[in-house]
Structure formats: structure tokens, C-alpha cells
Amino acid sequence: MALQRALMNDLIAWKSSPDRKPLLLRGARQVGKTWIATEFGRQEFGSVLRLDFMNDQSASSLFEGSLNPAQLIRKMEVLAGQTVETGRTLIVFDEVQECPRALTALKYFCEDAREQHIIATGSTMGVALHPGTSFPVGKVDMMTLHPLSFTEYLRNAGETKIVDAIETAALDDLEWISPLFSDMATSLLREYMLVGGMPEIVDRYLHDKDFTAARQRQLEILTAYDNDFSKHSDSPNTAERTRRTWQSLPAQLAKENRKFVYNLIRTGARAREYEFSLQWLTDYGIAHRVPCVNAMRKPLRAYEDAHAFKIYALDVGLMGAMAGIDASTVLSDDSLFTEFKGTLTEQYVCQQLIAQGFQPYYWANPDGRAEVDFVISSNGMILPIEVKAERNLRAKSLHVAVAKYDIPMSVRTSLAEYHREDWLTNVPLWAIGCVNRIRQ
């Protein structure tokens, strides 16, 4: 796999930071954490010393005694048969959740061996599984690796001009640029919504254009997740509840009102029975919780409704595989965007917002007559985002929200081309990566 990942630039900046701490690189299984850590080491260092806690029991045994960094480095050198050169060797603790004491050791590397470059890969799930372990609060830098965004997909597909238009062109210029790219970008977006952003699948698909192979790999990843439900759960009952919660996502999002409903997991299901399963899925990184806010005011977190939220999967391709979307019926036209009641389109937008570093919320009017799909805080303002799966540009809910909260700018994303009005910017779905640059 030789994909270009945007996070590589963040890793390079981390390397040269004078305040650098050991880095905890989080992300779901199969998003490419191991690959990007080792590729970063290959490009930026003389050597990489990698400890694989998932597959090598001897790696965990190094941390059974003292956590003194100097002693640990000597043990690592013996185990790996290589020398750690300060500034020239990147140390990688891979799948660190499998060795809780290695996670704790990051604290001592921060305090006593800051000169060493260390990346630990894993998920926050491991911390919850080992409550007696000391998490190095304040002693690590943290980054999260997500599936490829659509702009990353475009760049790896060689469509750099489209990426440049999305990421660097003046926003006003998109009004005349977008018609030039619209057909090609929309076609590529159909591909992306079916293939998704899981790195191995993207790499293979861009090489052989075999969607059948891509779907097979998606199903294999879903099976691996399913196996992990049992592997990491404390009881068969917990594993089954987590499995049911995860498998309910397509049905949850197919509703007109996509608020998460426990009764769709199992008739008579109650929140207290499944709250742990939901937390497990989000900690594991394969589900994203989008809370409802009862007011579009800053800070959005202060207006969360604790009982209303939506759950999206980490990847649009995996969601399509879970729902059994058939590529042969949707690749040739725009029906993909309306398939599944527009759920894939919302899933796609949510995924792109998260990839840009936003925490998305949604807003629902208490009287139930208006709902805005996503709300983010961007560039010092509250920005509501309405998702339209078709070219229908009616935005009744946006009108309600803008008037109610005196919001100066909002976004409608659809298959239509870029257009900016006084209070509304229409952004093509393929260009949603520019939303972080929209201002009043």
C-alpha cells in the first residue's frame, strides 16, 4: 500500500515540535495506523523499531518489570536486534491496548526520555478494558486516523486539480470552477460512496477497479469487527448486545427521523441495557455519535440533549456493505444518493466533517416540524448544514433555524453546483471538504 495520507503532514510537524510528547495514534481497526506509523518512520527516520503487542507475546513481557525508559530501550534493542539511535530511530508500540503497561510507560518516556520519538497505535477501547491501568493523562500527544476522506481518495486517484479546487481555490471561484469538474467529480463520488475510505480497499480498487473484490473485503472487515465483539467483551451477553446494536445501524438510519431508537435493536430494549454497547462501539472507533442540540448557540456542547442522538458508521463503504447496497443498480446514475432514503449521503457528509476535525451535531425543533442534519462550530460561528440527496434545493428547515437563532450563514450540500447567497452557500457534495473555509 502506497497511499498518500493527509495525516502524514501532521506527523512531520509532530516530529519537529519542540514540545513533542510520545504520540498516541488512535483509530479503528483497518484504518491504516500501523502502515502510516511505519511509513512515517521509513520516510523521516533512519530506522523503525516496532513492537507488535497483538501478535508477539514477548513484546509485552518487556514491560512486566521496571518502566524506566533507559532499561526498556535496552530490552527493546535486545528483542529487536537493533540499536535505538536518538533522533534517528522511531519506536512504534503497535496495538498498545493489548499491553496496558506499555501505555503507562509513555508517561515515563515523556518525563525522562522526551528526546525519544515514540508512536503508540491503538484505540481508547483498551483503556476501558483495563480500568486499573494508569492512563498517561497530559503526557501524550494524540491524533486520530480516520478512513480516507473524499479529497484523499481524489488525490490518490490522481485528480489533483479537483483537490486543489476544493482545498485551496478562493471560495468565490468555485462558482465558475465547479461546472468544469461537476460531472467527473460526481462520478468519482459515486465510486467513493461504494468503495469507502478503508485504505487497503481503496488501494486495491484504484489499482484494479474491481468493485466485487472491494465488497468482499468490506464483508471481511465487518466479520473481523464481529469477531472482536466476542474477543473483547466480558461476557457472551455483552458481546451479543454489542453485535445487535451494531447491526441495527442500517435500520436506525433508514427512518425518516434518524434519532437512535433502542427498540430497533430488539423489541422492548431499554437504554440501560445497551448504553455500554454503544460506548464500546464508539471507543472501538467504528461508530460515531452525533448528539442533538436543542439550540444553535455557542458552545454547542452546552445545548446537548442527553437523550437524543444519531449513530453513524465510521465509513460509507462499510455502511453500504452492511445495508447490502448493490453497486450494479446505482453506479450509472444518481440513484445512489437517494438509495436507502438518502442515508448513504448523510453518512458520507458526516464522515467528511469528522475527517476535517469537526464534532458534528444535529438540531431538531421541539415541535418536530424542522430538523437540520448537521450543525458544527467553524471559524467562530455556528454553521448549520442541510444535506440534500437530490437536486431539490428547498431548505425549509434551514430557513426556520436561521430565523430562530439569527444565524448569518448556513450550508446546503447537494448535487447542485456551488452558489453563494447572503445567508446560504450551496456546496456540491463532492466539494464538502471546503466547508472548513466558509465564513460570513
Side-chain angles (χ1 to χ4, degrees), residues 219-254:
L219 294 175
E220 289 171 0
I221 290 175
L222 292 173
T223 298
Y225 290 164
D226 190 85
N227 292 336
D228 281 351
F229 298 156
S230 298
K231 177 181 177 182
H232 295 293
S233 295
D234 57 4
S235 70
N237 188 43
T238 300
E240 183 58 26
R241 287 178 178 176
T242 303
R243 185 173 292 109
R244 286 180 178 178
T245 304
W246 171 245
Q247 291 174 349
S248 78
L249 258 62
Q252 298 282 352
L253 295 174

PDB file of all heavy atoms in Angstrom, residues 219-254:
ATOM      1  N   LEU A 219     -16.833  -6.982   3.497  1.00  0.00           N
ATOM      2  CA  LEU A 219     -17.511  -8.006   4.289  1.00  0.00           C
ATOM      3  C   LEU A 219     -16.539  -8.712   5.233  1.00  0.00           C
ATOM      4  O   LEU A 219     -16.898  -9.082   6.353  1.00  0.00           O
ATOM      5  CB  LEU A 219     -18.188  -9.020   3.366  1.00  0.00           C
ATOM      6  CG  LEU A 219     -19.345  -8.461   2.522  1.00  0.00           C
ATOM      7  CD1 LEU A 219     -19.851  -9.526   1.547  1.00  0.00           C
ATOM      8  CD2 LEU A 219     -20.485  -7.957   3.393  1.00  0.00           C
ATOM      9  N   GLU A 220     -15.290  -8.872   4.788  1.00  0.00           N
ATOM     10  CA  GLU A 220     -14.278  -9.490   5.654  1.00  0.00           C
ATOM     11  C   GLU A 220     -13.967  -8.591   6.848  1.00  0.00           C
ATOM     12  O   GLU A 220     -13.795  -9.078   7.978  1.00  0.00           O
ATOM     13  CB  GLU A 220     -13.001  -9.759   4.852  1.00  0.00           C
ATOM     14  CG  GLU A 220     -13.145 -10.875   3.836  1.00  0.00           C
ATOM     15  CD  GLU A 220     -11.950 -10.969   2.907  1.00  0.00           C
ATOM     16  OE1 GLU A 220     -10.996 -10.151   3.066  1.00  0.00           O
ATOM     17  OE2 GLU A 220     -11.946 -11.829   2.011  1.00  0.00           O
ATOM     18  N   ILE A 221     -13.896  -7.285   6.613  1.00  0.00           N
ATOM     19  CA  ILE A 221     -13.656  -6.349   7.711  1.00  0.00           C
ATOM     20  C   ILE A 221     -14.824  -6.383   8.693  1.00  0.00           C
ATOM     21  O   ILE A 221     -14.629  -6.397   9.917  1.00  0.00           O
ATOM     22  CB  ILE A 221     -13.428  -4.928   7.174  1.00  0.00           C
ATOM     23  CG1 ILE A 221     -12.081  -4.851   6.437  1.00  0.00           C
ATOM     24  CG2 ILE A 221     -13.472  -3.892   8.301  1.00  0.00           C
ATOM     25  CD1 ILE A 221     -11.825  -3.514   5.756  1.00  0.00           C
ATOM     26  N   LEU A 222     -16.045  -6.404   8.178  1.00  0.00           N
ATOM     27  CA  LEU A 222     -17.211  -6.474   9.048  1.00  0.00           C
ATOM     28  C   LEU A 222     -17.208  -7.761   9.874  1.00  0.00           C
ATOM     29  O   LEU A 222     -17.576  -7.756  11.057  1.00  0.00           O
ATOM     30  CB  LEU A 222     -18.494  -6.373   8.225  1.00  0.00           C
ATOM     31  CG  LEU A 222     -18.757  -5.017   7.557  1.00  0.00           C
ATOM     32  CD1 LEU A 222     -19.961  -5.105   6.628  1.00  0.00           C
ATOM     33  CD2 LEU A 222     -18.973  -3.928   8.601  1.00  0.00           C
ATOM     34  N   THR A 223     -16.765  -8.854   9.275  1.00  0.00           N
ATOM     35  CA  THR A 223     -16.659 -10.114  10.015  1.00  0.00           C
ATOM     36  C   THR A 223     -15.602 -10.011  11.111  1.00  0.00           C
ATOM     37  O   THR A 223     -15.793 -10.515  12.228  1.00  0.00           O
ATOM     38  CB  THR A 223     -16.304 -11.274   9.066  1.00  0.00           C
ATOM     39  OG1 THR A 223     -17.353 -11.433   8.094  1.00  0.00           O
ATOM     40  CG2 THR A 223     -16.134 -12.579   9.821  1.00  0.00           C
ATOM     41  N   ALA A 224     -14.489  -9.331  10.811  1.00  0.00           N
ATOM     42  CA  ALA A 224     -13.445  -9.149  11.819  1.00  0.00           C
ATOM     43  C   ALA A 224     -13.958  -8.318  12.987  1.00  0.00           C
ATOM     44  O   ALA A 224     -13.658  -8.607  14.153  1.00  0.00           O
ATOM     45  CB  ALA A 224     -12.221  -8.479  11.190  1.00  0.00           C
ATOM     46  N   TYR A 225     -14.739  -7.283  12.690  1.00  0.00           N
ATOM     47  CA  TYR A 225     -15.346  -6.491  13.766  1.00  0.00           C
ATOM     48  C   TYR A 225     -16.260  -7.372  14.618  1.00  0.00           C
ATOM     49  O   TYR A 225     -16.246  -7.298  15.845  1.00  0.00           O
ATOM     50  CB  TYR A 225     -16.151  -5.333  13.183  1.00  0.00           C
ATOM     51  CG  TYR A 225     -15.336  -4.228  12.551  1.00  0.00           C
ATOM     52  CD1 TYR A 225     -15.940  -3.293  11.713  1.00  0.00           C
ATOM     53  CD2 TYR A 225     -13.966  -4.105  12.775  1.00  0.00           C
ATOM     54  CE1 TYR A 225     -15.208  -2.269  11.134  1.00  0.00           C
ATOM     55  CE2 TYR A 225     -13.235  -3.100  12.196  1.00  0.00           C
ATOM     56  CZ  TYR A 225     -13.859  -2.171  11.363  1.00  0.00           C
ATOM     57  OH  TYR A 225     -13.138  -1.168  10.785  1.00  0.00           O
ATOM     58  N   ASP A 226     -17.058  -8.180  13.940  1.00  0.00           N
ATOM     59  CA  ASP A 226     -17.989  -9.055  14.648  1.00  0.00           C
ATOM     60  C   ASP A 226     -17.241 -10.004  15.579  1.00  0.00           C
ATOM     61  O   ASP A 226     -17.658 -10.237  16.725  1.00  0.00           O
ATOM     62  CB  ASP A 226     -18.819  -9.849  13.636  1.00  0.00           C
ATOM     63  CG  ASP A 226     -19.962 -10.605  14.279  1.00  0.00           C
ATOM     64  OD1 ASP A 226     -21.038 -10.019  14.479  1.00  0.00           O
ATOM     65  OD2 ASP A 226     -19.754 -11.793  14.613  1.00  0.00           O
ATOM     66  N   ASN A 227     -16.109 -10.538  15.106  1.00  0.00           N
ATOM     67  CA  ASN A 227     -15.305 -11.428  15.948  1.00  0.00           C
ATOM     68  C   ASN A 227     -14.747 -10.690  17.162  1.00  0.00           C
ATOM     69  O   ASN A 227     -14.639 -11.264  18.253  1.00  0.00           O
ATOM     70  CB  ASN A 227     -14.163 -12.039  15.137  1.00  0.00           C
ATOM     71  CG  ASN A 227     -14.644 -13.008  14.084  1.00  0.00           C
ATOM     72  OD1 ASN A 227     -15.740 -13.574  14.195  1.00  0.00           O
ATOM     73  ND2 ASN A 227     -13.848 -13.215  13.050  1.00  0.00           N
ATOM     74  N   ASP A 228     -14.409  -9.424  16.969  1.00  0.00           N
ATOM     75  CA  ASP A 228     -13.862  -8.642  18.078  1.00  0.00           C
ATOM     76  C   ASP A 228     -14.903  -8.372  19.161  1.00  0.00           C
ATOM     77  O   ASP A 228     -14.554  -8.154  20.322  1.00  0.00           O
ATOM     78  CB  ASP A 228     -13.298  -7.317  17.568  1.00  0.00           C
ATOM     79  CG  ASP A 228     -11.921  -7.486  16.944  1.00  0.00           C
ATOM     80  OD1 ASP A 228     -11.347  -8.582  17.063  1.00  0.00           O
ATOM     81  OD2 ASP A 228     -11.403  -6.521  16.344  1.00  0.00           O
ATOM     82  N   PHE A 229     -16.173  -8.346  18.780  1.00  0.00           N
ATOM     83  CA  PHE A 229     -17.209  -8.152  19.788  1.00  0.00           C
ATOM     84  C   PHE A 229     -17.111  -9.237  20.866  1.00  0.00           C
ATOM     85  O   PHE A 229     -17.249  -8.963  22.060  1.00  0.00           O
ATOM     86  CB  PHE A 229     -18.606  -8.189  19.167  1.00  0.00           C
ATOM     87  CG  PHE A 229     -18.860  -7.115  18.149  1.00  0.00           C
ATOM     88  CD1 PHE A 229     -19.823  -7.280  17.164  1.00  0.00           C
ATOM     89  CD2 PHE A 229     -18.135  -5.921  18.167  1.00  0.00           C
ATOM     90  CE1 PHE A 229     -20.074  -6.299  16.227  1.00  0.00           C
ATOM     91  CE2 PHE A 229     -18.383  -4.936  17.231  1.00  0.00           C
ATOM     92  CZ  PHE A 229     -19.347  -5.121  16.260  1.00  0.00           C
ATOM     93  N   SER A 230     -16.854 -10.454  20.445  1.00  0.00           N
ATOM     94  CA  SER A 230     -16.722 -11.557  21.401  1.00  0.00           C
ATOM     95  C   SER A 230     -15.367 -11.560  22.080  1.00  0.00           C
ATOM     96  O   SER A 230     -15.257 -11.796  23.286  1.00  0.00           O
ATOM     97  CB  SER A 230     -16.932 -12.902  20.688  1.00  0.00           C
ATOM     98  OG  SER A 230     -18.230 -12.983  20.137  1.00  0.00           O
ATOM     99  N   LYS A 231     -14.340 -11.241  21.310  1.00  0.00           N
ATOM    100  CA  LYS A 231     -12.970 -11.289  21.852  1.00  0.00           C
ATOM    101  C   LYS A 231     -12.777 -10.307  22.998  1.00  0.00           C
ATOM    102  O   LYS A 231     -12.113 -10.604  23.991  1.00  0.00           O
ATOM    103  CB  LYS A 231     -11.966 -11.004  20.732  1.00  0.00           C
ATOM    104  CG  LYS A 231     -10.518 -10.957  21.198  1.00  0.00           C
ATOM    105  CD  LYS A 231      -9.588 -10.648  20.039  1.00  0.00           C
ATOM    106  CE  LYS A 231      -8.149 -10.524  20.519  1.00  0.00           C
ATOM    107  NZ  LYS A 231      -7.213 -10.167  19.407  1.00  0.00           N
ATOM    108  N   HIS A 232     -13.345  -9.106  22.879  1.00  0.00           N
ATOM    109  CA  HIS A 232     -13.082  -8.056  23.842  1.00  0.00           C
ATOM    110  C   HIS A 232     -14.226  -7.800  24.821  1.00  0.00           C
ATOM    111  O   HIS A 232     -14.159  -6.854  25.603  1.00  0.00           O
ATOM    112  CB  HIS A 232     -12.753  -6.749  23.108  1.00  0.00           C
ATOM    113  CG  HIS A 232     -11.477  -6.823  22.318  1.00  0.00           C
ATOM    114  ND1 HIS A 232     -10.257  -6.942  22.918  1.00  0.00           N
ATOM    115  CD2 HIS A 232     -11.247  -6.783  20.984  1.00  0.00           C
ATOM    116  CE1 HIS A 232      -9.302  -6.977  21.986  1.00  0.00           C
ATOM    117  NE2 HIS A 232      -9.883  -6.888  20.812  1.00  0.00           N
ATOM    118  N   SER A 233     -15.261  -8.605  24.771  1.00  0.00           N
ATOM    119  CA  SER A 233     -16.386  -8.422  25.696  1.00  0.00           C
ATOM    120  C   SER A 233     -16.191  -9.280  26.933  1.00  0.00           C
ATOM    121  O   SER A 233     -15.573 -10.349  26.879  1.00  0.00           O
ATOM    122  CB  SER A 233     -17.714  -8.772  25.019  1.00  0.00           C
ATOM    123  OG  SER A 233     -17.980  -7.877  23.962  1.00  0.00           O
ATOM    124  N   ASP A 234     -16.750  -8.836  28.058  1.00  0.00           N
ATOM    125  CA  ASP A 234     -16.563  -9.559  29.312  1.00  0.00           C
ATOM    126  C   ASP A 234     -17.517 -10.728  29.484  1.00  0.00           C
ATOM    127  O   ASP A 234     -17.366 -11.509  30.427  1.00  0.00           O
ATOM    128  CB  ASP A 234     -16.690  -8.600  30.500  1.00  0.00           C
ATOM    129  CG  ASP A 234     -18.036  -7.873  30.523  1.00  0.00           C
ATOM    130  OD1 ASP A 234     -18.888  -8.170  29.660  1.00  0.00           O
ATOM    131  OD2 ASP A 234     -18.226  -7.009  31.392  1.00  0.00           O
ATOM    132  N   SER A 235     -18.486 -10.849  28.577  1.00  0.00           N
ATOM    133  CA  SER A 235     -19.426 -11.967  28.672  1.00  0.00           C
ATOM    134  C   SER A 235     -20.106 -12.161  27.326  1.00  0.00           C
ATOM    135  O   SER A 235     -20.195 -11.228  26.518  1.00  0.00           O
ATOM    136  CB  SER A 235     -20.477 -11.689  29.739  1.00  0.00           C
ATOM    137  OG  SER A 235     -21.363 -10.658  29.314  1.00  0.00           O
ATOM    138  N   PRO A 236     -20.613 -13.364  27.053  1.00  0.00           N
ATOM    139  CA  PRO A 236     -21.356 -13.601  25.802  1.00  0.00           C
ATOM    140  C   PRO A 236     -22.564 -12.683  25.669  1.00  0.00           C
ATOM    141  O   PRO A 236     -22.908 -12.261  24.558  1.00  0.00           O
ATOM    142  CB  PRO A 236     -21.777 -15.067  25.927  1.00  0.00           C
ATOM    143  CG  PRO A 236     -20.772 -15.677  26.845  1.00  0.00           C
ATOM    144  CD  PRO A 236     -20.432 -14.606  27.834  1.00  0.00           C
ATOM    145  N   ASN A 237     -23.197 -12.347  26.784  1.00  0.00           N
ATOM    146  CA  ASN A 237     -24.369 -11.484  26.750  1.00  0.00           C
ATOM    147  C   ASN A 237     -23.995 -10.082  26.267  1.00  0.00           C
ATOM    148  O   ASN A 237     -24.689  -9.488  25.446  1.00  0.00           O
ATOM    149  CB  ASN A 237     -25.006 -11.418  28.132  1.00  0.00           C
ATOM    150  CG  ASN A 237     -26.345 -10.692  28.117  1.00  0.00           C
ATOM    151  OD1 ASN A 237     -27.154 -10.903  27.219  1.00  0.00           O
ATOM    152  ND2 ASN A 237     -26.562  -9.828  29.093  1.00  0.00           N
ATOM    153  N   THR A 238     -22.866  -9.566  26.777  1.00  0.00           N
ATOM    154  CA  THR A 238     -22.398  -8.240  26.345  1.00  0.00           C
ATOM    155  C   THR A 238     -22.035  -8.252  24.869  1.00  0.00           C
ATOM    156  O   THR A 238     -22.343  -7.313  24.127  1.00  0.00           O
ATOM    157  CB  THR A 238     -21.183  -7.808  27.188  1.00  0.00           C
ATOM    158  OG1 THR A 238     -21.554  -7.754  28.565  1.00  0.00           O
ATOM    159  CG2 THR A 238     -20.676  -6.439  26.748  1.00  0.00           C
ATOM    160  N   ALA A 239     -21.361  -9.297  24.433  1.00  0.00           N
ATOM    161  CA  ALA A 239     -20.976  -9.412  23.023  1.00  0.00           C
ATOM    162  C   ALA A 239     -22.205  -9.408  22.118  1.00  0.00           C
ATOM    163  O   ALA A 239     -22.224  -8.750  21.073  1.00  0.00           O
ATOM    164  CB  ALA A 239     -20.160 -10.682  22.806  1.00  0.00           C
ATOM    165  N   GLU A 240     -23.241 -10.142  22.516  1.00  0.00           N
ATOM    166  CA  GLU A 240     -24.448 -10.223  21.702  1.00  0.00           C
ATOM    167  C   GLU A 240     -25.165  -8.880  21.650  1.00  0.00           C
ATOM    168  O   GLU A 240     -25.680  -8.474  20.595  1.00  0.00           O
ATOM    169  CB  GLU A 240     -25.376 -11.305  22.239  1.00  0.00           C
ATOM    170  CG  GLU A 240     -26.633 -11.528  21.408  1.00  0.00           C
ATOM    171  CD  GLU A 240     -26.337 -11.898  19.967  1.00  0.00           C
ATOM    172  OE1 GLU A 240     -25.248 -12.450  19.688  1.00  0.00           O
ATOM    173  OE2 GLU A 240     -27.187 -11.621  19.099  1.00  0.00           O
ATOM    174  N   ARG A 241     -25.205  -8.169  22.763  1.00  0.00           N
ATOM    175  CA  ARG A 241     -25.823  -6.845  22.760  1.00  0.00           C
ATOM    176  C   ARG A 241     -25.061  -5.875  21.865  1.00  0.00           C
ATOM    177  O   ARG A 241     -25.658  -5.090  21.132  1.00  0.00           O
ATOM    178  CB  ARG A 241     -25.887  -6.296  24.184  1.00  0.00           C
ATOM    179  CG  ARG A 241     -26.938  -6.965  25.057  1.00  0.00           C
ATOM    180  CD  ARG A 241     -26.920  -6.412  26.468  1.00  0.00           C
ATOM    181  NE  ARG A 241     -27.958  -7.026  27.281  1.00  0.00           N
ATOM    182  CZ  ARG A 241     -28.119  -6.792  28.570  1.00  0.00           C
ATOM    183  NH1 ARG A 241     -27.307  -5.963  29.208  1.00  0.00           N
ATOM    184  NH2 ARG A 241     -29.093  -7.390  29.250  1.00  0.00           N
ATOM    185  N   THR A 242     -23.738  -5.944  21.900  1.00  0.00           N
ATOM    186  CA  THR A 242     -22.924  -5.073  21.046  1.00  0.00           C
ATOM    187  C   THR A 242     -23.153  -5.408  19.577  1.00  0.00           C
ATOM    188  O   THR A 242     -23.289  -4.526  18.733  1.00  0.00           O
ATOM    189  CB  THR A 242     -21.432  -5.234  21.404  1.00  0.00           C
ATOM    190  OG1 THR A 242     -21.246  -4.947  22.795  1.00  0.00           O
ATOM    191  CG2 THR A 242     -20.581  -4.282  20.576  1.00  0.00           C
ATOM    192  N   ARG A 243     -23.231  -6.699  19.286  1.00  0.00           N
ATOM    193  CA  ARG A 243     -23.468  -7.141  17.908  1.00  0.00           C
ATOM    194  C   ARG A 243     -24.833  -6.644  17.409  1.00  0.00           C
ATOM    195  O   ARG A 243     -24.942  -6.132  16.292  1.00  0.00           O
ATOM    196  CB  ARG A 243     -23.392  -8.671  17.861  1.00  0.00           C
ATOM    197  CG  ARG A 243     -23.506  -9.270  16.473  1.00  0.00           C
ATOM    198  CD  ARG A 243     -23.256 -10.770  16.508  1.00  0.00           C
ATOM    199  NE  ARG A 243     -21.873 -11.065  16.842  1.00  0.00           N
ATOM    200  CZ  ARG A 243     -21.467 -11.594  17.998  1.00  0.00           C
ATOM    201  NH1 ARG A 243     -22.355 -11.898  18.940  1.00  0.00           N
ATOM    202  NH2 ARG A 243     -20.199 -11.835  18.222  1.00  0.00           N
ATOM    203  N   ARG A 244     -25.841  -6.773  18.229  1.00  0.00           N
ATOM    204  CA  ARG A 244     -27.181  -6.326  17.833  1.00  0.00           C
ATOM    205  C   ARG A 244     -27.219  -4.807  17.628  1.00  0.00           C
ATOM    206  O   ARG A 244     -27.858  -4.320  16.690  1.00  0.00           O
ATOM    207  CB  ARG A 244     -28.198  -6.720  18.899  1.00  0.00           C
ATOM    208  CG  ARG A 244     -28.546  -8.204  18.942  1.00  0.00           C
ATOM    209  CD  ARG A 244     -29.562  -8.476  20.042  1.00  0.00           C
ATOM    210  NE  ARG A 244     -29.967  -9.874  20.086  1.00  0.00           N
ATOM    211  CZ  ARG A 244     -30.816 -10.362  20.973  1.00  0.00           C
ATOM    212  NH1 ARG A 244     -31.347  -9.565  21.888  1.00  0.00           N
ATOM    213  NH2 ARG A 244     -31.140 -11.648  20.948  1.00  0.00           N
ATOM    214  N   THR A 245     -26.545  -4.084  18.503  1.00  0.00           N
ATOM    215  CA  THR A 245     -26.512  -2.625  18.385  1.00  0.00           C
ATOM    216  C   THR A 245     -25.867  -2.218  17.076  1.00  0.00           C
ATOM    217  O   THR A 245     -26.385  -1.368  16.341  1.00  0.00           O
ATOM    218  CB  THR A 245     -25.749  -2.013  19.570  1.00  0.00           C
ATOM    219  OG1 THR A 245     -26.348  -2.435  20.794  1.00  0.00           O
ATOM    220  CG2 THR A 245     -25.757  -0.503  19.504  1.00  0.00           C
ATOM    221  N   TRP A 246     -24.733  -2.818  16.768  1.00  0.00           N
ATOM    222  CA  TRP A 246     -24.003  -2.514  15.536  1.00  0.00           C
ATOM    223  C   TRP A 246     -24.843  -2.871  14.307  1.00  0.00           C
ATOM    224  O   TRP A 246     -24.955  -2.084  13.368  1.00  0.00           O
ATOM    225  CB  TRP A 246     -22.684  -3.285  15.545  1.00  0.00           C
ATOM    226  CG  TRP A 246     -21.892  -3.274  14.281  1.00  0.00           C
ATOM    227  CD1 TRP A 246     -21.616  -4.342  13.487  1.00  0.00           C
ATOM    228  CD2 TRP A 246     -21.245  -2.150  13.657  1.00  0.00           C
ATOM    229  NE1 TRP A 246     -20.839  -3.965  12.411  1.00  0.00           N
ATOM    230  CE2 TRP A 246     -20.602  -2.634  12.496  1.00  0.00           C
ATOM    231  CE3 TRP A 246     -21.154  -0.803  13.964  1.00  0.00           C
ATOM    232  CZ2 TRP A 246     -19.869  -1.800  11.644  1.00  0.00           C
ATOM    233  CZ3 TRP A 246     -20.430   0.035  13.121  1.00  0.00           C
ATOM    234  CH2 TRP A 246     -19.798  -0.466  11.974  1.00  0.00           C
ATOM    235  N   GLN A 247     -25.461  -4.038  14.326  1.00  0.00           N
ATOM    236  CA  GLN A 247     -26.225  -4.488  13.167  1.00  0.00           C
ATOM    237  C   GLN A 247     -27.511  -3.694  12.966  1.00  0.00           C
ATOM    238  O   GLN A 247     -28.112  -3.752  11.888  1.00  0.00           O
ATOM    239  CB  GLN A 247     -26.541  -5.987  13.313  1.00  0.00           C
ATOM    240  CG  GLN A 247     -25.308  -6.865  13.201  1.00  0.00           C
ATOM    241  CD  GLN A 247     -25.597  -8.334  13.489  1.00  0.00           C
ATOM    242  OE1 GLN A 247     -26.669  -8.694  13.971  1.00  0.00           O
ATOM    243  NE2 GLN A 247     -24.629  -9.195  13.202  1.00  0.00           N
ATOM    244  N   SER A 248     -27.931  -2.933  13.972  1.00  0.00           N
ATOM    245  CA  SER A 248     -29.152  -2.131  13.845  1.00  0.00           C
ATOM    246  C   SER A 248     -28.915  -0.821  13.109  1.00  0.00           C
ATOM    247  O   SER A 248     -29.881  -0.126  12.766  1.00  0.00           O
ATOM    248  CB  SER A 248     -29.742  -1.832  15.223  1.00  0.00           C
ATOM    249  OG  SER A 248     -29.043  -0.787  15.893  1.00  0.00           O
ATOM    250  N   LEU A 249     -27.662  -0.453  12.849  1.00  0.00           N
ATOM    251  CA  LEU A 249     -27.378   0.865  12.267  1.00  0.00           C
ATOM    252  C   LEU A 249     -28.111   1.127  10.957  1.00  0.00           C
ATOM    253  O   LEU A 249     -28.701   2.208  10.788  1.00  0.00           O
ATOM    254  CB  LEU A 249     -25.866   1.058  12.077  1.00  0.00           C
ATOM    255  CG  LEU A 249     -25.204   1.941  13.137  1.00  0.00           C
ATOM    256  CD1 LEU A 249     -25.348   1.325  14.520  1.00  0.00           C
ATOM    257  CD2 LEU A 249     -23.733   2.178  12.817  1.00  0.00           C
ATOM    258  N   PRO A 250     -28.110   0.208   9.984  1.00  0.00           N
ATOM    259  CA  PRO A 250     -28.859   0.498   8.753  1.00  0.00           C
ATOM    260  C   PRO A 250     -30.327   0.790   9.008  1.00  0.00           C
ATOM    261  O   PRO A 250     -30.894   1.723   8.433  1.00  0.00           O
ATOM    262  CB  PRO A 250     -28.664  -0.776   7.915  1.00  0.00           C
ATOM    263  CG  PRO A 250     -27.368  -1.346   8.392  1.00  0.00           C
ATOM    264  CD  PRO A 250     -27.351  -1.059   9.870  1.00  0.00           C
ATOM    265  N   ALA A 251     -30.950   0.023   9.886  1.00  0.00           N
ATOM    266  CA  ALA A 251     -32.367   0.265  10.190  1.00  0.00           C
ATOM    267  C   ALA A 251     -32.549   1.588  10.931  1.00  0.00           C
ATOM    268  O   ALA A 251     -33.532   2.313  10.696  1.00  0.00           O
ATOM    269  CB  ALA A 251     -32.925  -0.884  11.034  1.00  0.00           C
ATOM    270  N   GLN A 252     -31.618   1.924  11.819  1.00  0.00           N
ATOM    271  CA  GLN A 252     -31.707   3.186  12.550  1.00  0.00           C
ATOM    272  C   GLN A 252     -31.694   4.367  11.587  1.00  0.00           C
ATOM    273  O   GLN A 252     -32.474   5.322  11.721  1.00  0.00           O
ATOM    274  CB  GLN A 252     -30.520   3.323  13.524  1.00  0.00           C
ATOM    275  CG  GLN A 252     -30.438   2.266  14.609  1.00  0.00           C
ATOM    276  CD  GLN A 252     -31.415   2.496  15.747  1.00  0.00           C
ATOM    277  OE1 GLN A 252     -32.077   3.527  15.828  1.00  0.00           O
ATOM    278  NE2 GLN A 252     -31.508   1.534  16.642  1.00  0.00           N
ATOM    279  N   LEU A 253     -30.801   4.321  10.604  1.00  0.00           N
ATOM    280  CA  LEU A 253     -30.620   5.453   9.701  1.00  0.00           C
ATOM    281  C   LEU A 253     -31.607   5.463   8.550  1.00  0.00           C
ATOM    282  O   LEU A 253     -31.710   6.456   7.826  1.00  0.00           O
ATOM    283  CB  LEU A 253     -29.181   5.466   9.166  1.00  0.00           C
ATOM    284  CG  LEU A 253     -28.108   5.710  10.239  1.00  0.00           C
ATOM    285  CD1 LEU A 253     -26.712   5.548   9.639  1.00  0.00           C
ATOM    286  CD2 LEU A 253     -28.255   7.088  10.864  1.00  0.00           C
ATOM    287  N   ALA A 254     -32.332   4.374   8.362  1.00  0.00           N
ATOM    288  CA  ALA A 254     -33.323   4.320   7.288  1.00  0.00           C
ATOM    289  C   ALA A 254     -34.620   5.027   7.665  1.00  0.00           C
ATOM    290  O   ALA A 254     -35.453   5.293   6.804  1.00  0.00           O
ATOM    291  CB  ALA A 254     -33.617   2.871   6.896  1.00  0.00           C
TER     292      ALA A 254
END
